[in-house]
């Protein structure tokens, strides 16, 4: 398998130009910035990869009449449904039954056929594959696809354009699509990457330790977005760079970080986005300025008014 290339990210940037929102940056402290990707279409960075995936297949003439299908914890499904609606093709989205109601409702508002299968992402993914085999629908992947990862990687160049001299980017990881894209582009420009995972959703960290993708248990407050059992090979390849640091954080730290983002900055984000911010107290010495990617906002904000644990 050929590693994701920077050329693929530049091609993705051309495809998505004018279709996604350029990332906004906000100051968060001395030499610290937030990359506000939670303001992206569909509420997460996933819109980038989804649009690139569908546009590339449309260019190649490989979009079937049965449309596209995807298994997702929620955000990738939202992005796929949004991109499919824009392209005028059908989208069938498989989610675990534990998916947040806010994501299910939003998917249906995009016109997607939503199917709830199993209690975790892996079971939804199996049902998605079975559906594709029977229907002929084109399978997209929540993270393990070079077109999806390349689309996500366009975010890094936008951050650099807004923040010249970027030294470090901090990003959370589940299956590793966003991380693989970000790290590939970061390597091109000499930017350090800190990749952050919950302690009990550590597919990338475990893969680096093992030297290959391995299955891990999934149990975290951020599992609806970061709950992949194993990472992509592209993510593992990117994580083996000497310019990448892997950090694990507790669920308690994630919950506190999410509350701090709301109380101190009035930013309502999901736990996956707060995971990156939660790592700041544990960061190794890294070049500045630093950008923390707030990757998603598909959350029920009602609990943000409760006291911080």
């Amino acid at each position: 398998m050929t590693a994701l290339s920077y050329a693929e990210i530049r091609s993705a940037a051309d495809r998505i130009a004018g279709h996604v929102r350029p990332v906004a940056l906000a100051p968060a402290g001395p030499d610290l910035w937030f990359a506000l990707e939670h303001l992206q279409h569909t509420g997460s960075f996933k819109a980038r990869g989804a649009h690139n995936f569908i546009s590339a297949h449309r260019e190649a003439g490989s979009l079937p009449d049965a449309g596209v299908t995807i298994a997702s914890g929620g955000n990738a499904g939202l992005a796929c449904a949004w991109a499919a609606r824009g392209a005028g093709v059908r989208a069938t989205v498989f989610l675990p039954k534990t998916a947040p109601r806010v994501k299910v409702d939003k998917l249906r508002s995009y016109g997607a056929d939503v199917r709830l299968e199993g209690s975790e992402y892996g079971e939804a993914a199996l049902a998605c594959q079975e559906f594709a085999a029977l229907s002929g629908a084109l399978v997209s992947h929540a993270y393990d696809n070079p077109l999806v990862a390349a689309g996500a990687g366009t975010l890094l160049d936008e951050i650099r354009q807004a923040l010249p001299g970027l030294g470090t980017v901090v990003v959370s990881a589940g299956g590793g699509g966003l991380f693989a894209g970000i790290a590939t582009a970061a390597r091109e420009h000499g930017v350090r990457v800190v990749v952050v995972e919950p302690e009990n959703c550590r597919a990338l960290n475990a893969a680096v330790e093992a030297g290959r993708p391995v299955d891990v248990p999934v149990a975290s407050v951020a599992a609806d977005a970061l709950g992949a059992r194993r990472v992509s090979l592209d993510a593992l390849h990117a994580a083996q760079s000497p310019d990448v640091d892997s950090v694990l954080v507790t669920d308690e730290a994630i919950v506190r970080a999410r509350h701090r983002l709301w109380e101190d900055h009035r930013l309502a984000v999901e736990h996956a986005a707060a995971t990156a911010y939660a790592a700041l107290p544990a960061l190794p010495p890294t070049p500045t300025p630093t950008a923390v990617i707030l990757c998603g906002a598909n959350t029920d904000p009602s609990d943000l008014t409760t006291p911080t644990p």
Side-chain angles (χ1 to χ4, degrees):
M1 177 179 176
T2 304
L4 184 69
S5 71
Y6 184 62
E8 291 173 280
I9 293 171
R10 294 310 309 152
S11 294
D14 291 340
R15 289 192 191 97
I16 71 174
H19 298 280
V20 303
R21 294 170 180 157
V23 69
L25 267 70
D31 284 328
L32 181 66
W33 297 76
F34 290 139
L36 306 179
E37 188 64 1
H38 68 297
L39 302 179
Q40 187 55 259
H41 291 297
T42 76
S44 88
F45 74 94
K46 296 281 190 179
R48 296 172 180 270
H51 186 87
N52 188 47
F53 176 85
I54 287 179
S55 293
H57 278 284
R58 168 155 280 178
E59 289 172 8
S62 52
L63 275 177
D65 292 340
V68 296
T69 186
I70 189 170
S72 166
N75 285 347
L78 286 167
C80 184
W82 167 80
R85 184 180 67 175
V89 299
R90 287 185 285 175
T92 304
V93 181
F94 289 80
L95 302 177
K97 295 175 182 177
T98 53
R101 174 55 54 183
V102 64
K103 296 184 180 182
V104 174
D105 291 345
K106 191 64 177 177
L107 269 169
R108 289 179 173 144
S109 79
Y110 288 141
D113 178 0
V114 181
R115 306 193 183 190
L116 302 177
E117 297 284 349
S119 60
E120 60 181 49
Y121 169 78
E123 293 171 297
L126 179 60
C128 176
Q129 292 290 341
E130 292 172 349
F131 170 79
L134 290 171
S135 68
L138 174 67
V139 179
S140 183
H141 196 282
Y143 58 88
D144 194 3
N145 181 284
L147 291 168
V148 170
T154 61
L155 181 55
L156 191 280
D157 280 353
E158 290 183 16
I159 294 172
R160 289 185 64 251
Q161 290 165 10
L163 187 59
L166 175 69
T168 301
V169 63
V170 184
V171 59
S172 56
L178 174 60
F179 163 71
I182 290 290
T184 299
R187 185 171 61 247
E188 183 76 12
H189 302 294
V191 175
R192 192 157 195 88
V193 180
V194 177
V195 58
V196 191
E197 297 170 278
E199 284 185 342
N200 295 320
C201 281
R202 54 182 292 268
L204 182 60
N205 182 270
V208 171
E209 284 187 358
R212 58 184 176 83
V214 293
D215 287 342
V216 298
V218 170
S220 170
V221 69
D224 64 306
L226 303 183
R229 284 202 172 272
R230 83 167 38 200
V231 294
S232 68
L233 284 172
D234 278 330
L236 174 58
H237 175 82
Q240 291 169 330
S241 166
D243 292 326
V244 172
D245 293 298
S246 174
V247 174
L248 300 178
V249 293
T250 66
D251 273 12
E252 291 76 14
I254 294 169
V255 171
R256 287 194 301 269
R258 182 168 172 266
H259 275 267
R260 286 201 310 274
L261 285 165
W262 173 247
E263 293 295 337
D264 297 346
H265 304 281
R266 278 304 186 255
L267 295 171
V269 301
E270 60 190 84
H271 289 100
T275 297
Y277 187 52
L280 289 188
L283 284 191
T286 52
T288 57
T290 298
V292 178
I293 296 175
L294 301 182
C295 58
N298 292 310
T299 185
D300 181 350
S302 62
D303 62 342
L304 289 171
T305 59
T306 60
T308 305

